[in-house]
Structure formats: structure tokens, C-alpha cells
Amino acid sequence: MVELEVQVLSDRREGLLAELGRAVVANGFSLIRQRLTQDSHGAWLTMIVRGPSEQRFALEETLGTHNRVLSFEASLSGEDAVATAVFAKSTPVAVHAPSPEPPPIIEPSATPSAAVMPDIERVEHILPKLAQDYPSIYPWLVSLENSVDDAVRESSLMLAGRRTGAWVYKRDYALGAKLGLSDAIKRIGVPALRQLADIEQQGVHVHILNSPLCTPGVQSGCKFYGGYLEGLLGASVTPKKVFVRHLSCRSTGAPHCSLEISH
Amino acid sequence: MPMHVSYNWLLVLLSYAVSVLGSFTSLQLAVAIPLATTPRQRTAAVAMAGGAMGLGAIWAMHFIAMLACDSGMHVTYAPSLTALSAVVAFAACSAGLMLVGDALFSWLRLLAAGSCMGLGVGAMHYLGMAAMMMPAVISYNAGLVVASLVIAIVASMAALWLAFNLRGPWQMVASALVMGFAVCGMHYTGMTAATFTDNGGQLPDGYADGLRGDNLGLTVFGIVGTLLVLMLVLHYWRQRYRSSISI
Ligand SMILES: [Zn+2]
């Protein structure tokens, strides 16, 4: 069990607690207390939630890609004694999971197995830098690649990619109608990916030429692009979920890194 | 006897520029309709987009184009029909944008929305023509009238498709240029369809109380100014929103 303090910024407060409370519950957490305030930036919702530690990644991912969320921060509750004091006065609220909601879809990479859990802290740490220097982000990604354990490298890069992709979508591609997967790949995925790398695309297949994150014979980092595409296309193709499969990688001797997109 | 009509080409170009400006502002607002999460936000976005399109891209364009058209007669406009033409343009555009401004795209919806907007452009134009008071009668070539409506509907559909389905810079620029073509193509085809015949100098009742070109010019100027301000505010607001989204 972990207790997290989550702070969310949204552009308006109506229905925010209900929608995010649902997301919290769907990830197996319960809401202990919450506080909703408003300032010139928008509505701030702070929640103290408790749930299984192996679900923390899934919850943060849900919140990070939620359409109501402009930005969010999550930390272990108790890390910040001041916040706890502020919350001492607020009343506990019970949130009931609405029964007609479909069960949350947990992707393979989010399964509660320690080996594939990304290094959330290090990813969270570089995310603001990715946003600041976007699209010149390779120095940060390479430093992330080198700073995490081998076992969690791929999942950490994938998480960084997914958060970056979801952010780029909200920033640059959210206006207009929802697109089908093949149109979303052509009109959103390809131009957004071209900002980061030389690519070739045929239907649902994307080849990253000379991925700077993958060194032949050494390490593979092209999971970043997979996560990036999932985050980028996921919001346009909703309610379906987008998955990216890695077919080949330069690190294992292939001429380029190849991805396959499906939903 | 049919009268000869000549055009001031500078004003013709200005009429196209105004319809593109109105379309651009309107479509910028319209593509955000699917993002609205409360009915109030949605209504506000639809009304503003419908206003920019109906009053800016269509109504103001029409009267600039009428100022560009010199038939050698003094023309005044019946205030009630002129106002009605503005209301019809606004309502038709709002309805069309509401139809297509849904998160999910479908061809049927696009057809309905394009017809709404295209017929709205046409209705505005022909009501605006009916509002003309002058010592002449207008007759129409039915084939060209139908052609003008077809142009308006097809080009509106194309513009809406571009605005909602493209991404990147062309999403807004191409759709506004095409929507401007829809409005102007309809208008000038409709003008070609019209023949003005001298009725021997008989002025209709209420001619002296009609709106004159300079009254309309001032209104049009006000609308264009509002469009420019709206576009700038929207641009500023969107930049702010964009930088407020954190990763
Ligand atoms: Zn690779």
C-alpha cells in the first residue's frame, strides 16, 4: 500500500473531482481526502489517495493522459509535512466506483511486476526538461537512458515517450474532429515524429532510421518512440486504446528500428 | 431594357479577403467545439463561430461586393430584409457548425452541415438582393441560381472537411481559403444569374427610408474590425493555453 498526494491542474472545476475520482477508483486506489481551489491558472485539485504500490504507475499514467488534466504532480504522501497539515482539517470523502464503468485496461507494460516498472522518479524529473527543450530532447533522453537500471530502461523510456506524446497531442493536435487510426497516423503521428527523427511510414508500420537512442550491439531506446506514438495517437483514437509493437531494433543488428501500430 | 453592371476590382478583392478573414476566425473557433465539455461552453463556441461566419464571412462580404458593383443606379436597402438576411446567415452557419462540430466525423453529418451552410450563404444572398430598392426589376437565370447554390454547398463541405480533419498549418489556412471561395463563388455566380431591367424610373415605396451604401459601409467596417480583434484575442488566448499545458 502507498499513500500518494496528487496535485492536478485543470482549466475548470466543474465535474473535475467526479471524473478524476473515477480514474482513481478505476486504478484500485481510494480517495482519502481532497481539496479543490481556483486561481488565475485554473482549478487545482489536490487528492490524497491510497492503493496498491504496484498500481502507482498505472494511476499516474491515467492521470497524465487524462483529458481534463493540464498538468499534475504526484508524490508519496508524508514526504511533505506541510501538505499534510493543510489537509488535517478537510473532511474525508468516500468515492463509490460507478458500476457501469468498464474495468480499466492495463497494458502489458503496466502489469505489477517489478522488472518492468519504470523508474518513475527519474522520468518525472526529466519531463519538464523535455517540455522546455522540445524537440531537441535527445541529450535528456540519453541521460535518462544511462541513469536508470538496465532492467527498467525500456519501460522508463516508454513512459517518458507516452507522457511526451500525450503532451504534444494536447498542445498541437487536439483541435478538430477525432480521427481514425490510419488518418491519425498520417496526420498526427508522422508529422509529430518527423520533429524528432528521420522516419519512413507505410500503413501501420513506422521505421525509425538511425535512432540516436539505439546503439548497435549495446542498448535499445526506441521504446521511447513507441510510447510517444501511443500517447500521441491514444487521445485521437479514443475510446480505443493504441498499442505499439516493436518489430526490430538497430541495437540487435536490424537496419532500422521498426514499430507496428494497432488498436 | 437590361442594364450594364461594372465592378470595382479592388472592392471585389476586398470582399474575398473579408470572407477569408471571417472564415478563418470562425473555423478557428469551430474546431474547438469538440473540446467543449459543458453545454454552455459549446453554445458559446457555436454562437461565436456562427457569428464570425454568418455576419463576417457572408453578410459583410455580400455588402462589400454590392458596393463593388456599379449598376449606374442609386440603390437603397430595405432595413427589415437586410436584417433578416443577417439573421438567416447567422442561424444557418451556427446550425451547420453545431452539426459538424461533434467529436465524431461522418460523411452524413458533413453533408448536412455543408448543406446548411451553403444554403445559408444562398439564402442570405438572395434575401439581400430582395432587399434592394431601385428603379429596376431583377430577374434570374434559374440554371445559374442552382449552380450558385451547388457551388456554395460543395465548397462549404470541402472547407469543413479540411478544418476538422487536417492538422497543422493547412488545417486553418486552406479551409479558410476554400470557405472564402464558397461564399464569393456563390455570390458572384448569383450576380451573373441576375439581370437588372430598367422599369422606367419608378421608385419602390420606402425607397427614401432605405439603408444607403454609406450606412452599410460603416456597419461592415464595424464587423470587420470586430473580426480582427476577435482573431487577435483568440490567437493570444490560444498561445496562453498552449503554454499552460504542462507535460
Ligand atoms: Zn531501436
Side-chain angles (χ1 to χ4, degrees):
Chain A
M1 279 290 172
V2 282
E3 199 169 291
L4 298 175
E5 179 184 334
V6 182
Q7 191 175 45
V8 166
L9 173 64
S10 181
D11 53 347
R12 72 210 146 75
R13 58 192 293 163
E14 291 80 18
L16 185 62
L17 178 61
E19 280 185 52
L20 295 189
R22 219 174 290 152
V24 164
V25 170
N27 281 290
F29 279 74
S30 50
L31 185 56
I32 315 283
R33 329 181 253 280
Q34 89 294 334
R35 191 174 57 144
L36 193 55
T37 55
Q38 182 107 34
D39 69 10
S40 58
H41 296 98
W44 294 91
L45 174 63
T46 314
M47 301 182 284
I48 304 283
V49 299
R50 188 182 291 150
S53 51
E54 64 272 16
Q55 280 291 96
R56 177 181 174 179
F57 168 52
L59 174 66
E60 293 194 358
E61 162 116 51
T62 307
L63 294 175
T65 54
H66 199 283
N67 63 359
R68 292 292 306 270
V69 175
L70 292 176
S71 75
F72 93 105
E73 238 169 69
S75 57
L76 283 174
S77 184
E79 281 172 1
D80 192 343
V82 182
T84 320
V86 171
F87 277 89
K89 278 187 185 169
S90 53
T91 40
V93 183
V95 171
H96 303 284
S99 41
E101 283 290 306
I105 303 156
I106 295 163
E107 291 164 60
S109 62
T111 45
S113 126
V116 295
M117 279 288 288
D119 190 333
I120 296 171
E121 241 151 73
R122 284 194 203 275
V123 172
E124 289 282 352
H125 183 70
I126 68 148
L127 284 174
K129 292 162 180 151
L130 297 184
Q132 188 191 316
D133 291 346
Y134 191 85
S136 316
I137 55 175
Y138 284 117
W140 297 115
L141 293 177
V142 170
S143 103
L144 174 71
E145 212 176 4
N146 295 329
S147 67
V148 295
D149 290 341
D150 286 351
V152 300
R153 176 178 302 123
E154 295 195 344
S155 59
S156 299
L157 280 163
M158 188 142 185
L159 173 62
R162 217 175 282 162
R163 292 282 297 274
T164 309
W167 171 73
V168 169
Y169 176 82
K170 282 192 214 170
R171 213 179 61 139
D172 295 336
Y173 297 98
L175 292 174
K178 303 265 184 215
L179 305 176
L181 184 64
S182 67
D183 286 338
I185 292 173
K186 274 183 289 190
R187 296 180 206 143
I188 299 175
V190 169
L193 213 45
R194 287 233 158 95
Q195 289 197 289
L196 297 179
D198 284 338
I199 62 155
E200 273 171 14
Q201 173 255 338
Q202 281 148 346
V204 296
H205 293 107
V206 173
H207 309 293
I208 317 283
L209 315 177
N210 302 317
S211 154
L213 301 171
C214 305
T215 326
V218 187
Q219 61 188 21
S220 163
C222 52
K223 281 266 160 39
F224 175 83
Y225 304 107
Y228 182 76
L229 283 170
E230 288 184 359
L232 193 64
L233 304 178
S236 182
V237 181
T238 47
K240 289 183 182 148
K241 193 108 184 158
V242 172
F243 297 98
V244 174
R245 209 153 65 90
H246 290 252
L247 303 179
S248 66
C249 177
R250 215 155 75 89
S251 69
T252 56
H256 40 242
C257 306
S258 298
L259 317 174
E260 186 186 74
I261 309 165
S262 61
H263 61 44
Chain B
M1 149 191 158
M3 303 162 77
H4 180 72
V5 172
S6 67
Y7 283 97
N8 175 335
W9 289 101
L10 212 61
L11 283 173
V12 170
L13 281 178
L14 183 68
S15 73
Y16 180 67
V18 165
S19 69
V20 171
L21 171 71
S23 305
F24 183 80
T25 310
S26 168
L27 292 171
Q28 284 272 0
L29 287 158
V31 289
I33 299 173
L35 293 184
T37 35
T38 62
R40 221 175 113 198
Q41 274 184 349
R42 195 179 149 81
T43 312
V46 168
M48 284 208 288
M53 187 70 84
L55 304 182
I58 300 174
W59 194 85
M61 177 274 153
H62 174 86
F63 283 102
I64 294 174
M66 292 315 287
L67 296 176
C69 161
D70 182 11
S71 59
M73 294 175 290
H74 283 290
V75 179
T76 67
Y77 295 89
S80 51
L81 276 176
T82 304
L84 180 65
S85 71
V87 172
V88 165
F90 170 68
C93 290
S94 300
L97 291 169
M98 191 157 65
L99 274 173
V100 84
D102 194 87
L104 290 172
F105 171 82
S106 79
W107 289 104
L108 198 66
R109 220 180 257 276
L110 182 69
L111 182 69
S115 305
C116 234
M117 305 230 324
L119 292 175
V121 179
M124 188 274 127
H125 173 82
Y126 291 107
L127 278 171
M129 296 299 285
M132 289 175 87
M133 296 190 286
M134 61 202 157
V137 288
I138 309 177
S139 57
Y140 288 102
N141 173 326
L144 282 172
V145 169
V146 171
S148 74
L149 295 176
V150 172
I151 289 173
I153 292 173
V154 173
S156 298
M157 281 175 64
L160 290 173
W161 187 89
L162 293 169
F164 282 88
N165 290 281
L166 284 192
R167 292 295 187 276
W170 287 110
Q171 182 180 13
M172 286 305 140
V173 176
S175 58
L177 291 173
V178 172
M179 193 62 215
F181 173 80
V183 180
C184 292
M186 187 276 131
H187 176 90
Y188 291 108
T189 311
M191 289 306 284
T192 314
T195 309
F196 297 85
T197 313
D198 192 341
N199 67 1
Q202 277 177 284
L203 288 170
D205 294 342
Y207 172 84
D209 301 326
L211 299 167
R212 287 164 195 287
D214 43 349
N215 302 128
L216 287 169
L218 215 59
T219 314
V220 165
F221 183 76
I223 289 176
V224 173
T226 309
L227 280 180
L228 280 171
V229 170
L230 190 61
M231 195 178 73
L232 288 174
V233 167
L234 198 64
H235 177 76
Y236 168 75
W237 182 82
R238 212 152 264 173
Q239 289 302 110
R240 243 188 64 168
Y241 175 78
R242 197 169 173 272
S243 58
S244 78
I245 300 171
S246 65
I247 193 162

